[in-house]
Amino acid sequence: MINHPGAQLRDLAVRIATHILPDVTTAYGQADAGLISGLLMALAQDFERAAFNRMADIEEIQQLFKTATANSSDLQNTQALQAFTADTPASLHLQDLDQLHARGFELLIDLHTWAENNNPELNQAIWSLLRRHSERNKFEVAGP
Amino acid sequence: METTVEQTGQLIAAYLGQHWQTECELQDIMQIPGDASRQTYLVHLLRNNQPISVIVRRDPPSSLIDTQRDHEYNTYAAVFNNGVMPVPEPIVLEETPGDLLYPFSVSAFVGEGKAAPAGLDEAPMEPVKKTLAQRKWSLLGALAKLPPDQLGVDRFMSTPTHPAAHELSYWRGVIEADALHPQPIAAAALRWLDKHLPEPSGQLCLVHGDFRTGNYLYTASGEITAVLDWEMAHIGDPLEDLAWSLDPLWSPDLHLAGRLVPRAAAIDIWEKASGFSIDPETFRWWQIFASVKALAIWLSSAHDYTTGTTKEPILAFAGWPMIDRQNRILLDRLSPESQHQYAEALA
């Protein structure tokens, strides 16, 4: 087991930027090393939060579907929404979390399409969820 | 078999010697970073014992933007011949590359100026930012008012009857084909664009397609010596390029257009140069479209990187943090609760 893998990845990124990049002689190689360092930084950020963020999204979507199905009698696809609220990932491997997350997002897109024309409050709630999703998954990485 | 950079240089020198029917010797070659759509080399040669430098752009196995090389080459030629914008002189397009493995084009090297976006933030550039902005959006305005048939691009580009619908359809297709995960923000933006689709303005021009910081060479005196990267050029609505050039992604300062001047100032320059007045509602559509188009490109690059078509780091960079940034720009523009952190060019 690697302890604090995010921090280790960050250290590797810094190592590339401070020890390897200065010794690279071509502009192309320097750009490559800089990009790889930046990408390792992004991976470091995502590594720490990946499972937590996917589960946070899934739980928020489930809560939103519960509220929506309870409050709106004219919803389409109610059965699928309700089924999703009771679903759990097959495991905590990211592949399984991603699978459930993707299904949640697909249903959310359909619900959002409906809410835009039929339920301003739900529409607002979905935008708020998307904002929180984006904030959770924000990268702090310098551009090339 | 892939060749080294040095071997590539030797092959290019041999090719150009044959093309020019003269002696041609390689002096030096370097691969230029930052080109996500082609492998780009600066090649220094001796042609008949006279120094000459050229830029060679070679197709890679995969690129961030899927474009046809003859389309880009012919666009360079049309713009160069007209002179509406400074572009490198195109020299030759080779579609049967032989030992160079992939098709390539050769153009003159423009020695003066640099493209680096971060260079615009350096202290010596501060006094010339207004001059550079004046030049940048004046050039774009001049292109906007030039009918495509005067450039001759209508001979190899299609003319859409409804430019906005045409572009929206294309980039929707890219998102649908390449998104690796469902995209609720892109989906909401596409619905908004459908609902607010503007009528054709009746004004058509050559749209550069990627007119932004990083795609032109600038000097310390605020001059633009070349506009580059025409691979996404097409005939379309003049507002498309203007909106793209103002996307918040191109400037760390959220209130500046392309790291130079406030967006309203850039628009003012463009309006004076083009003679067009902007309808705020229509322009809002093109601004949101610009962010959706950019998001489509980032999703496409993430797809290519992830599925193994290419392992160029620049594609991964476009595919990871850029998707995040562009999504937040769209949220800012479309969410009913938005605090509008990113300034709208025309509210």
Side-chain angles (χ1 to χ4, degrees), chain A residues 28 31 39 101 112-113 116 124 127-128 131 134 138-139 141-142 144, chain B residues 31 33 181-182 184 191 195 312-313 317 320 324-325 328 331 336-337:
Chain A
Y28 190 83
L39 289 168
H101 189 273
H112 199 179
T113 307
E116 279 172 358
Q124 174 67 66
W127 278 110
S128 299
R131 178 173 291 280
S134 295
K138 184 177 180 179
F139 285 108
V141 180
Chain B
Q31 189 165 6
H181 201 77
R191 291 194 300 274
K195 205 176 287 181
E312 284 292 319
F317 199 91
W320 302 346
D324 158 54
R325 288 184 200 172
R328 280 187 283 119
L331 263 168
E337 64 172 4

PDB file of all heavy atoms in Angstrom, chain A residues 28 31 39 101 112-113 116 124 127-128 131 134 138-139 141-142 144, chain B residues 31 33 181-182 184 191 195 312-313 317 320 324-325 328 331 336-337:
ATOM      1  N   TYR A  28      10.828  21.601 -27.212  1.00  0.00           N
ATOM      2  CA  TYR A  28       9.754  20.594 -27.241  1.00  0.00           C
ATOM      3  C   TYR A  28       9.806  19.711 -25.991  1.00  0.00           C
ATOM      4  O   TYR A  28       8.792  19.442 -25.356  1.00  0.00           O
ATOM      5  CB  TYR A  28       9.879  19.736 -28.501  1.00  0.00           C
ATOM      6  CG  TYR A  28       8.689  18.840 -28.724  1.00  0.00           C
ATOM      7  CD1 TYR A  28       7.546  19.332 -29.346  1.00  0.00           C
ATOM      8  CD2 TYR A  28       8.701  17.514 -28.306  1.00  0.00           C
ATOM      9  CE1 TYR A  28       6.444  18.526 -29.540  1.00  0.00           C
ATOM     10  CE2 TYR A  28       7.593  16.706 -28.496  1.00  0.00           C
ATOM     11  CZ  TYR A  28       6.481  17.210 -29.125  1.00  0.00           C
ATOM     12  OH  TYR A  28       5.378  16.423 -29.302  1.00  0.00           O
ATOM     13  N   ALA A  31       8.616  21.650 -22.947  1.00  0.00           N
ATOM     14  CA  ALA A  31       7.155  21.764 -22.913  1.00  0.00           C
ATOM     15  C   ALA A  31       6.529  20.443 -22.476  1.00  0.00           C
ATOM     16  O   ALA A  31       5.582  20.414 -21.679  1.00  0.00           O
ATOM     17  CB  ALA A  31       6.628  22.169 -24.297  1.00  0.00           C
ATOM     18  N   LEU A  39       0.192  17.570 -15.413  1.00  0.00           N
ATOM     19  CA  LEU A  39      -0.785  16.469 -15.428  1.00  0.00           C
ATOM     20  C   LEU A  39      -0.664  15.611 -14.176  1.00  0.00           C
ATOM     21  O   LEU A  39      -1.677  15.142 -13.641  1.00  0.00           O
ATOM     22  CB  LEU A  39      -0.580  15.615 -16.686  1.00  0.00           C
ATOM     23  CG  LEU A  39      -1.003  16.296 -17.988  1.00  0.00           C
ATOM     24  CD1 LEU A  39      -0.507  15.511 -19.191  1.00  0.00           C
ATOM     25  CD2 LEU A  39      -2.519  16.450 -18.052  1.00  0.00           C
ATOM     26  N   HIS A 101     -22.229   6.359 -11.489  1.00  0.00           N
ATOM     27  CA  HIS A 101     -22.216   7.817 -11.658  1.00  0.00           C
ATOM     28  C   HIS A 101     -22.737   8.184 -13.049  1.00  0.00           C
ATOM     29  O   HIS A 101     -23.542   9.120 -13.203  1.00  0.00           O
ATOM     30  CB  HIS A 101     -20.784   8.319 -11.465  1.00  0.00           C
ATOM     31  CG  HIS A 101     -20.650   9.805 -11.409  1.00  0.00           C
ATOM     32  ND1 HIS A 101     -20.496  10.580 -12.522  1.00  0.00           N
ATOM     33  CD2 HIS A 101     -20.648  10.661 -10.357  1.00  0.00           C
ATOM     34  CE1 HIS A 101     -20.400  11.848 -12.172  1.00  0.00           C
ATOM     35  NE2 HIS A 101     -20.491  11.928 -10.858  1.00  0.00           N
ATOM     36  N   HIS A 112     -33.369  17.077 -16.148  1.00  0.00           N
ATOM     37  CA  HIS A 112     -33.086  18.502 -16.362  1.00  0.00           C
ATOM     38  C   HIS A 112     -33.853  19.028 -17.575  1.00  0.00           C
ATOM     39  O   HIS A 112     -34.418  20.123 -17.548  1.00  0.00           O
ATOM     40  CB  HIS A 112     -31.576  18.697 -16.545  1.00  0.00           C
ATOM     41  CG  HIS A 112     -31.120  20.103 -16.314  1.00  0.00           C
ATOM     42  ND1 HIS A 112     -29.817  20.486 -16.414  1.00  0.00           N
ATOM     43  CD2 HIS A 112     -31.802  21.234 -15.987  1.00  0.00           C
ATOM     44  CE1 HIS A 112     -29.713  21.777 -16.160  1.00  0.00           C
ATOM     45  NE2 HIS A 112     -30.911  22.257 -15.900  1.00  0.00           N
ATOM     46  N   THR A 113     -33.863  18.231 -18.634  1.00  0.00           N
ATOM     47  CA  THR A 113     -34.590  18.614 -19.854  1.00  0.00           C
ATOM     48  C   THR A 113     -36.063  18.849 -19.531  1.00  0.00           C
ATOM     49  O   THR A 113     -36.669  19.833 -19.980  1.00  0.00           O
ATOM     50  CB  THR A 113     -34.454  17.499 -20.914  1.00  0.00           C
ATOM     51  OG1 THR A 113     -33.061  17.198 -21.088  1.00  0.00           O
ATOM     52  CG2 THR A 113     -35.053  17.910 -22.241  1.00  0.00           C
ATOM     53  N   GLU A 116     -36.612  22.059 -17.091  1.00  0.00           N
ATOM     54  CA  GLU A 116     -36.471  23.378 -17.729  1.00  0.00           C
ATOM     55  C   GLU A 116     -37.814  23.923 -18.208  1.00  0.00           C
ATOM     56  O   GLU A 116     -38.068  25.119 -18.156  1.00  0.00           O
ATOM     57  CB  GLU A 116     -35.535  23.275 -18.945  1.00  0.00           C
ATOM     58  CG  GLU A 116     -34.063  23.306 -18.591  1.00  0.00           C
ATOM     59  CD  GLU A 116     -33.175  23.002 -19.789  1.00  0.00           C
ATOM     60  OE1 GLU A 116     -33.701  22.737 -20.891  1.00  0.00           O
ATOM     61  OE2 GLU A 116     -31.955  22.999 -19.606  1.00  0.00           O
ATOM     62  N   GLN A 124     -33.671  24.820 -10.963  1.00  0.00           N
ATOM     63  CA  GLN A 124     -32.690  25.527 -10.122  1.00  0.00           C
ATOM     64  C   GLN A 124     -31.885  24.541  -9.263  1.00  0.00           C
ATOM     65  O   GLN A 124     -30.660  24.666  -9.124  1.00  0.00           O
ATOM     66  CB  GLN A 124     -33.429  26.538  -9.227  1.00  0.00           C
ATOM     67  CG  GLN A 124     -32.562  27.233  -8.206  1.00  0.00           C
ATOM     68  CD  GLN A 124     -31.543  28.144  -8.868  1.00  0.00           C
ATOM     69  OE1 GLN A 124     -31.889  29.140  -9.491  1.00  0.00           O
ATOM     70  NE2 GLN A 124     -30.267  27.773  -8.786  1.00  0.00           N
ATOM     71  N   TRP A 127     -29.232  22.845 -11.363  1.00  0.00           N
ATOM     72  CA  TRP A 127     -28.081  23.732 -11.611  1.00  0.00           C
ATOM     73  C   TRP A 127     -27.205  23.853 -10.360  1.00  0.00           C
ATOM     74  O   TRP A 127     -25.977  23.883 -10.443  1.00  0.00           O
ATOM     75  CB  TRP A 127     -28.545  25.120 -12.062  1.00  0.00           C
ATOM     76  CG  TRP A 127     -28.877  25.195 -13.527  1.00  0.00           C
ATOM     77  CD1 TRP A 127     -30.105  25.345 -14.084  1.00  0.00           C
ATOM     78  CD2 TRP A 127     -27.950  25.121 -14.626  1.00  0.00           C
ATOM     79  NE1 TRP A 127     -30.011  25.366 -15.449  1.00  0.00           N
ATOM     80  CE2 TRP A 127     -28.703  25.239 -15.813  1.00  0.00           C
ATOM     81  CE3 TRP A 127     -26.570  24.965 -14.724  1.00  0.00           C
ATOM     82  CZ2 TRP A 127     -28.123  25.213 -17.079  1.00  0.00           C
ATOM     83  CZ3 TRP A 127     -25.987  24.941 -15.978  1.00  0.00           C
ATOM     84  CH2 TRP A 127     -26.751  25.062 -17.148  1.00  0.00           C
ATOM     85  N   SER A 128     -27.858  23.920  -9.203  1.00  0.00           N
ATOM     86  CA  SER A 128     -27.084  24.019  -7.952  1.00  0.00           C
ATOM     87  C   SER A 128     -26.254  22.752  -7.748  1.00  0.00           C
ATOM     88  O   SER A 128     -25.088  22.816  -7.325  1.00  0.00           O
ATOM     89  CB  SER A 128     -28.015  24.226  -6.757  1.00  0.00           C
ATOM     90  OG  SER A 128     -28.740  25.414  -6.917  1.00  0.00           O
ATOM     91  N   ARG A 131     -23.322  22.886  -9.997  1.00  0.00           N
ATOM     92  CA  ARG A 131     -22.301  23.821  -9.504  1.00  0.00           C
ATOM     93  C   ARG A 131     -21.463  23.163  -8.406  1.00  0.00           C
ATOM     94  O   ARG A 131     -20.233  23.259  -8.413  1.00  0.00           O
ATOM     95  CB  ARG A 131     -22.962  25.097  -8.970  1.00  0.00           C
ATOM     96  CG  ARG A 131     -21.958  26.106  -8.401  1.00  0.00           C
ATOM     97  CD  ARG A 131     -22.613  27.421  -8.050  1.00  0.00           C
ATOM     98  NE  ARG A 131     -23.033  28.140  -9.242  1.00  0.00           N
ATOM     99  CZ  ARG A 131     -22.213  28.857 -10.015  1.00  0.00           C
ATOM    100  NH1 ARG A 131     -20.929  28.922  -9.711  1.00  0.00           N
ATOM    101  NH2 ARG A 131     -22.662  29.493 -11.069  1.00  0.00           N
ATOM    102  N   SER A 134     -19.114  20.729  -9.925  1.00  0.00           N
ATOM    103  CA  SER A 134     -17.959  21.380 -10.568  1.00  0.00           C
ATOM    104  C   SER A 134     -16.970  21.882  -9.541  1.00  0.00           C
ATOM    105  O   SER A 134     -15.758  21.785  -9.750  1.00  0.00           O
ATOM    106  CB  SER A 134     -18.424  22.554 -11.432  1.00  0.00           C
ATOM    107  OG  SER A 134     -19.205  22.067 -12.485  1.00  0.00           O
ATOM    108  N   LYS A 138     -12.944  20.700  -9.216  1.00  0.00           N
ATOM    109  CA  LYS A 138     -12.122  21.771  -9.792  1.00  0.00           C
ATOM    110  C   LYS A 138     -10.636  21.396  -9.718  1.00  0.00           C
ATOM    111  O   LYS A 138     -10.174  20.865  -8.709  1.00  0.00           O
ATOM    112  CB  LYS A 138     -12.366  23.037  -8.978  1.00  0.00           C
ATOM    113  CG  LYS A 138     -11.686  24.267  -9.451  1.00  0.00           C
ATOM    114  CD  LYS A 138     -12.116  25.427  -8.549  1.00  0.00           C
ATOM    115  CE  LYS A 138     -11.442  26.710  -8.985  1.00  0.00           C
ATOM    116  NZ  LYS A 138     -11.865  27.834  -8.135  1.00  0.00           N
ATOM    117  N   PHE A 139      -9.907  21.680 -10.794  1.00  0.00           N
ATOM    118  CA  PHE A 139      -8.459  21.455 -10.805  1.00  0.00           C
ATOM    119  C   PHE A 139      -7.733  22.778 -10.553  1.00  0.00           C
ATOM    120  O   PHE A 139      -8.109  23.809 -11.108  1.00  0.00           O
ATOM    121  CB  PHE A 139      -7.995  20.913 -12.163  1.00  0.00           C
ATOM    122  CG  PHE A 139      -8.339  19.471 -12.383  1.00  0.00           C
ATOM    123  CD1 PHE A 139      -9.329  19.107 -13.284  1.00  0.00           C
ATOM    124  CD2 PHE A 139      -7.671  18.472 -11.690  1.00  0.00           C
ATOM    125  CE1 PHE A 139      -9.654  17.782 -13.489  1.00  0.00           C
ATOM    126  CE2 PHE A 139      -7.985  17.138 -11.890  1.00  0.00           C
ATOM    127  CZ  PHE A 139      -8.985  16.794 -12.792  1.00  0.00           C
ATOM    128  N   VAL A 141      -4.511  23.804 -11.538  1.00  0.00           N
ATOM    129  CA  VAL A 141      -3.325  23.482 -12.344  1.00  0.00           C
ATOM    130  C   VAL A 141      -3.046  24.659 -13.272  1.00  0.00           C
ATOM    131  O   VAL A 141      -3.962  25.187 -13.906  1.00  0.00           O
ATOM    132  CB  VAL A 141      -3.567  22.213 -13.201  1.00  0.00           C
ATOM    133  CG1 VAL A 141      -2.339  21.896 -14.036  1.00  0.00           C
ATOM    134  CG2 VAL A 141      -3.915  21.028 -12.321  1.00  0.00           C
ATOM    135  N   ALA A 142      -1.779  25.069 -13.341  1.00  0.00           N
ATOM    136  CA  ALA A 142      -1.418  26.178 -14.234  1.00  0.00           C
ATOM    137  C   ALA A 142      -1.519  25.729 -15.690  1.00  0.00           C
ATOM    138  O   ALA A 142      -1.271  24.561 -16.001  1.00  0.00           O
ATOM    139  CB  ALA A 142       0.010  26.624 -13.945  1.00  0.00           C
ATOM    140  N   PRO A 144      -0.670  25.581 -19.878  1.00  0.00           N
ATOM    141  CA  PRO A 144       0.610  25.389 -20.579  1.00  0.00           C
ATOM    142  C   PRO A 144       1.195  26.730 -21.037  1.00  0.00           C
ATOM    143  O   PRO A 144       0.479  27.659 -21.213  1.00  0.00           O
ATOM    144  CB  PRO A 144       0.235  24.520 -21.775  1.00  0.00           C
ATOM    145  CG  PRO A 144      -1.228  24.702 -21.976  1.00  0.00           C
ATOM    146  CD  PRO A 144      -1.816  25.078 -20.641  1.00  0.00           C
TER     147      PRO A 144
ATOM    148  N   GLN B  31      11.750  20.643 -33.056  1.00  0.00           N
ATOM    149  CA  GLN B  31      10.299  20.454 -33.009  1.00  0.00           C
ATOM    150  C   GLN B  31       9.698  21.537 -32.128  1.00  0.00           C
ATOM    151  O   GLN B  31      10.201  21.818 -31.029  1.00  0.00           O
ATOM    152  CB  GLN B  31       9.951  19.065 -32.460  1.00  0.00           C
ATOM    153  CG  GLN B  31       8.457  18.757 -32.597  1.00  0.00           C
ATOM    154  CD  GLN B  31       8.124  17.287 -32.397  1.00  0.00           C
ATOM    155  OE1 GLN B  31       8.984  16.489 -32.037  1.00  0.00           O
ATOM    156  NE2 GLN B  31       6.867  16.949 -32.627  1.00  0.00           N
ATOM    157  N   PRO B  33       6.918  23.036 -29.721  1.00  0.00           N
ATOM    158  CA  PRO B  33       5.875  22.520 -28.833  1.00  0.00           C
ATOM    159  C   PRO B  33       4.577  23.301 -28.961  1.00  0.00           C
ATOM    160  O   PRO B  33       4.553  24.395 -29.523  1.00  0.00           O
ATOM    161  CB  PRO B  33       6.475  22.720 -27.439  1.00  0.00           C
ATOM    162  CG  PRO B  33       7.403  23.880 -27.589  1.00  0.00           C
ATOM    163  CD  PRO B  33       7.927  23.831 -29.002  1.00  0.00           C
ATOM    164  N   HIS B 181     -18.087  10.279 -20.793  1.00  0.00           N
ATOM    165  CA  HIS B 181     -18.977  10.207 -19.638  1.00  0.00           C
ATOM    166  C   HIS B 181     -20.124  11.167 -19.944  1.00  0.00           C
ATOM    167  O   HIS B 181     -19.911  12.155 -20.646  1.00  0.00           O
ATOM    168  CB  HIS B 181     -18.196  10.670 -18.399  1.00  0.00           C
ATOM    169  CG  HIS B 181     -18.771  10.214 -17.098  1.00  0.00           C
ATOM    170  ND1 HIS B 181     -18.623   8.921 -16.623  1.00  0.00           N
ATOM    171  CD2 HIS B 181     -19.490  10.867 -16.151  1.00  0.00           C
ATOM    172  CE1 HIS B 181     -19.215   8.814 -15.435  1.00  0.00           C
ATOM    173  NE2 HIS B 181     -19.757   9.976 -15.131  1.00  0.00           N
ATOM    174  N   PRO B 182     -21.333  10.912 -19.461  1.00  0.00           N
ATOM    175  CA  PRO B 182     -22.430  11.862 -19.719  1.00  0.00           C
ATOM    176  C   PRO B 182     -22.066  13.277 -19.253  1.00  0.00           C
ATOM    177  O   PRO B 182     -21.423  13.438 -18.214  1.00  0.00           O
ATOM    178  CB  PRO B 182     -23.584  11.295 -18.891  1.00  0.00           C
ATOM    179  CG  PRO B 182     -23.265   9.848 -18.719  1.00  0.00           C
ATOM    180  CD  PRO B 182     -21.768   9.754 -18.657  1.00  0.00           C
ATOM    181  N   PRO B 184     -23.792  16.618 -18.318  1.00  0.00           N
ATOM    182  CA  PRO B 184     -25.037  17.365 -18.077  1.00  0.00           C
ATOM    183  C   PRO B 184     -24.928  18.863 -18.362  1.00  0.00           C
ATOM    184  O   PRO B 184     -25.919  19.483 -18.770  1.00  0.00           O
ATOM    185  CB  PRO B 184     -25.327  17.112 -16.595  1.00  0.00           C
ATOM    186  CG  PRO B 184     -24.073  16.578 -15.996  1.00  0.00           C
ATOM    187  CD  PRO B 184     -23.297  15.948 -17.102  1.00  0.00           C
ATOM    188  N   ARG B 191     -29.100  22.444 -25.268  1.00  0.00           N
ATOM    189  CA  ARG B 191     -30.556  22.728 -25.285  1.00  0.00           C
ATOM    190  C   ARG B 191     -30.790  24.234 -25.351  1.00  0.00           C
ATOM    191  O   ARG B 191     -31.669  24.708 -26.066  1.00  0.00           O
ATOM    192  CB  ARG B 191     -31.236  22.123 -24.043  1.00  0.00           C
ATOM    193  CG  ARG B 191     -31.287  20.609 -24.026  1.00  0.00           C
ATOM    194  CD  ARG B 191     -32.260  20.101 -22.959  1.00  0.00           C
ATOM    195  NE  ARG B 191     -31.904  20.517 -21.613  1.00  0.00           N
ATOM    196  CZ  ARG B 191     -31.049  19.870 -20.809  1.00  0.00           C
ATOM    197  NH1 ARG B 191     -30.460  18.770 -21.236  1.00  0.00           N
ATOM    198  NH2 ARG B 191     -30.794  20.323 -19.596  1.00  0.00           N
ATOM    199  N   LYS B 195     -32.741  26.327 -28.299  1.00  0.00           N
ATOM    200  CA  LYS B 195     -33.909  27.157 -27.991  1.00  0.00           C
ATOM    201  C   LYS B 195     -33.721  28.602 -28.457  1.00  0.00           C
ATOM    202  O   LYS B 195     -34.674  29.289 -28.778  1.00  0.00           O
ATOM    203  CB  LYS B 195     -34.143  27.124 -26.476  1.00  0.00           C
ATOM    204  CG  LYS B 195     -35.569  27.404 -26.045  1.00  0.00           C
ATOM    205  CD  LYS B 195     -35.738  27.264 -24.544  1.00  0.00           C
ATOM    206  CE  LYS B 195     -35.706  25.826 -24.073  1.00  0.00           C
ATOM    207  NZ  LYS B 195     -35.897  25.700 -22.607  1.00  0.00           N
ATOM    208  N   GLU B 312       0.133  12.066 -26.625  1.00  0.00           N
ATOM    209  CA  GLU B 312       0.732  13.396 -26.509  1.00  0.00           C
ATOM    210  C   GLU B 312       0.182  14.064 -25.252  1.00  0.00           C
ATOM    211  O   GLU B 312      -1.039  14.207 -25.103  1.00  0.00           O
ATOM    212  CB  GLU B 312       0.385  14.246 -27.734  1.00  0.00           C
ATOM    213  CG  GLU B 312       1.158  13.907 -28.978  1.00  0.00           C
ATOM    214  CD  GLU B 312       2.645  14.255 -28.852  1.00  0.00           C
ATOM    215  OE1 GLU B 312       2.974  15.307 -28.296  1.00  0.00           O
ATOM    216  OE2 GLU B 312       3.470  13.435 -29.312  1.00  0.00           O
ATOM    217  N   PRO B 313       1.054  14.513 -24.347  1.00  0.00           N
ATOM    218  CA  PRO B 313       0.569  15.110 -23.096  1.00  0.00           C
ATOM    219  C   PRO B 313      -0.361  16.302 -23.302  1.00  0.00           C
ATOM    220  O   PRO B 313      -1.265  16.534 -22.498  1.00  0.00           O
ATOM    221  CB  PRO B 313       1.851  15.543 -22.380  1.00  0.00           C
ATOM    222  CG  PRO B 313       2.924  14.698 -22.959  1.00  0.00           C
ATOM    223  CD  PRO B 313       2.518  14.413 -24.382  1.00  0.00           C
ATOM    224  N   PHE B 317      -3.769  17.257 -21.321  1.00  0.00           N
ATOM    225  CA  PHE B 317      -3.953  18.536 -20.629  1.00  0.00           C
ATOM    226  C   PHE B 317      -5.250  19.201 -21.085  1.00  0.00           C
ATOM    227  O   PHE B 317      -6.003  19.754 -20.290  1.00  0.00           O
ATOM    228  CB  PHE B 317      -2.766  19.469 -20.859  1.00  0.00           C
ATOM    229  CG  PHE B 317      -2.707  20.560 -19.843  1.00  0.00           C
ATOM    230  CD1 PHE B 317      -1.984  20.389 -18.675  1.00  0.00           C
ATOM    231  CD2 PHE B 317      -3.433  21.726 -20.003  1.00  0.00           C
ATOM    232  CE1 PHE B 317      -1.967  21.373 -17.699  1.00  0.00           C
ATOM    233  CE2 PHE B 317      -3.424  22.712 -19.038  1.00  0.00           C
ATOM    234  CZ  PHE B 317      -2.683  22.538 -17.882  1.00  0.00           C
ATOM    235  N   TRP B 320      -8.260  17.136 -19.469  1.00  0.00           N
ATOM    236  CA  TRP B 320      -8.599  17.068 -18.037  1.00  0.00           C
ATOM    237  C   TRP B 320      -8.942  18.453 -17.462  1.00  0.00           C
ATOM    238  O   TRP B 320     -10.108  18.743 -17.265  1.00  0.00           O
ATOM    239  CB  TRP B 320      -7.453  16.387 -17.251  1.00  0.00           C
ATOM    240  CG  TRP B 320      -7.111  14.994 -17.730  1.00  0.00           C
ATOM    241  CD1 TRP B 320      -7.865  14.205 -18.578  1.00  0.00           C
ATOM    242  CD2 TRP B 320      -5.939  14.232 -17.422  1.00  0.00           C
ATOM    243  NE1 TRP B 320      -7.234  13.002 -18.796  1.00  0.00           N
ATOM    244  CE2 TRP B 320      -6.048  12.990 -18.099  1.00  0.00           C
ATOM    245  CE3 TRP B 320      -4.808  14.467 -16.645  1.00  0.00           C
ATOM    246  CZ2 TRP B 320      -5.071  12.001 -18.006  1.00  0.00           C
ATOM    247  CZ3 TRP B 320      -3.839  13.481 -16.543  1.00  0.00           C
ATOM    248  CH2 TRP B 320      -3.974  12.262 -17.216  1.00  0.00           C
ATOM    249  N   ASP B 324     -12.864  20.889 -17.141  1.00  0.00           N
ATOM    250  CA  ASP B 324     -13.309  21.458 -15.867  1.00  0.00           C
ATOM    251  C   ASP B 324     -13.516  22.966 -15.999  1.00  0.00           C
ATOM    252  O   ASP B 324     -14.578  23.500 -15.634  1.00  0.00           O
ATOM    253  CB  ASP B 324     -12.253  21.116 -14.798  1.00  0.00           C
ATOM    254  CG  ASP B 324     -12.307  22.045 -13.611  1.00  0.00           C
ATOM    255  OD1 ASP B 324     -13.400  22.174 -13.047  1.00  0.00           O
ATOM    256  OD2 ASP B 324     -11.271  22.631 -13.248  1.00  0.00           O
ATOM    257  N   ARG B 325     -12.530  23.661 -16.549  1.00  0.00           N
ATOM    258  CA  ARG B 325     -12.645  25.124 -16.656  1.00  0.00           C
ATOM    259  C   ARG B 325     -13.799  25.542 -17.559  1.00  0.00           C
ATOM    260  O   ARG B 325     -14.548  26.465 -17.260  1.00  0.00           O
ATOM    261  CB  ARG B 325     -11.344  25.718 -17.201  1.00  0.00           C
ATOM    262  CG  ARG B 325     -10.217  25.678 -16.197  1.00  0.00           C
ATOM    263  CD  ARG B 325      -8.986  26.352 -16.753  1.00  0.00           C
ATOM    264  NE  ARG B 325      -7.812  25.900 -16.023  1.00  0.00           N
ATOM    265  CZ  ARG B 325      -6.561  26.192 -16.358  1.00  0.00           C
ATOM    266  NH1 ARG B 325      -6.328  26.928 -17.414  1.00  0.00           N
ATOM    267  NH2 ARG B 325      -5.555  25.761 -15.648  1.00  0.00           N
ATOM    268  N   ARG B 328     -17.128  25.195 -15.959  1.00  0.00           N
ATOM    269  CA  ARG B 328     -17.428  26.252 -14.987  1.00  0.00           C
ATOM    270  C   ARG B 328     -17.783  27.568 -15.678  1.00  0.00           C
ATOM    271  O   ARG B 328     -18.597  28.334 -15.182  1.00  0.00           O
ATOM    272  CB  ARG B 328     -16.265  26.408 -14.002  1.00  0.00           C
ATOM    273  CG  ARG B 328     -16.335  25.321 -12.923  1.00  0.00           C
ATOM    274  CD  ARG B 328     -15.336  25.469 -11.811  1.00  0.00           C
ATOM    275  NE  ARG B 328     -14.021  25.052 -12.228  1.00  0.00           N
ATOM    276  CZ  ARG B 328     -12.951  25.851 -12.253  1.00  0.00           C
ATOM    277  NH1 ARG B 328     -13.057  27.087 -11.864  1.00  0.00           N
ATOM    278  NH2 ARG B 328     -11.790  25.397 -12.641  1.00  0.00           N
ATOM    279  N   LEU B 331     -21.401  27.050 -16.684  1.00  0.00           N
ATOM    280  CA  LEU B 331     -22.251  27.174 -15.491  1.00  0.00           C
ATOM    281  C   LEU B 331     -22.460  28.638 -15.150  1.00  0.00           C
ATOM    282  O   LEU B 331     -23.572  29.073 -14.837  1.00  0.00           O
ATOM    283  CB  LEU B 331     -21.556  26.503 -14.303  1.00  0.00           C
ATOM    284  CG  LEU B 331     -21.959  25.080 -13.950  1.00  0.00           C
ATOM    285  CD1 LEU B 331     -20.973  24.502 -12.962  1.00  0.00           C
ATOM    286  CD2 LEU B 331     -23.365  25.047 -13.357  1.00  0.00           C
ATOM    287  N   PRO B 336     -29.241  29.751 -13.466  1.00  0.00           N
ATOM    288  CA  PRO B 336     -30.101  30.861 -13.007  1.00  0.00           C
ATOM    289  C   PRO B 336     -29.553  31.549 -11.758  1.00  0.00           C
ATOM    290  O   PRO B 336     -29.819  32.721 -11.537  1.00  0.00           O
ATOM    291  CB  PRO B 336     -31.436  30.175 -12.709  1.00  0.00           C
ATOM    292  CG  PRO B 336     -31.380  28.842 -13.369  1.00  0.00           C
ATOM    293  CD  PRO B 336     -29.946  28.466 -13.505  1.00  0.00           C
ATOM    294  N   GLU B 337     -28.802  30.813 -10.947  1.00  0.00           N
ATOM    295  CA  GLU B 337     -28.287  31.400  -9.704  1.00  0.00           C
ATOM    296  C   GLU B 337     -26.905  32.026  -9.890  1.00  0.00           C
ATOM    297  O   GLU B 337     -26.269  32.437  -8.917  1.00  0.00           O
ATOM    298  CB  GLU B 337     -28.195  30.330  -8.620  1.00  0.00           C
ATOM    299  CG  GLU B 337     -27.197  29.241  -8.997  1.00  0.00           C
ATOM    300  CD  GLU B 337     -26.907  28.244  -7.882  1.00  0.00           C
ATOM    301  OE1 GLU B 337     -27.532  28.340  -6.824  1.00  0.00           O
ATOM    302  OE2 GLU B 337     -26.058  27.368  -8.101  1.00  0.00           O
TER     303      GLU B 337
END
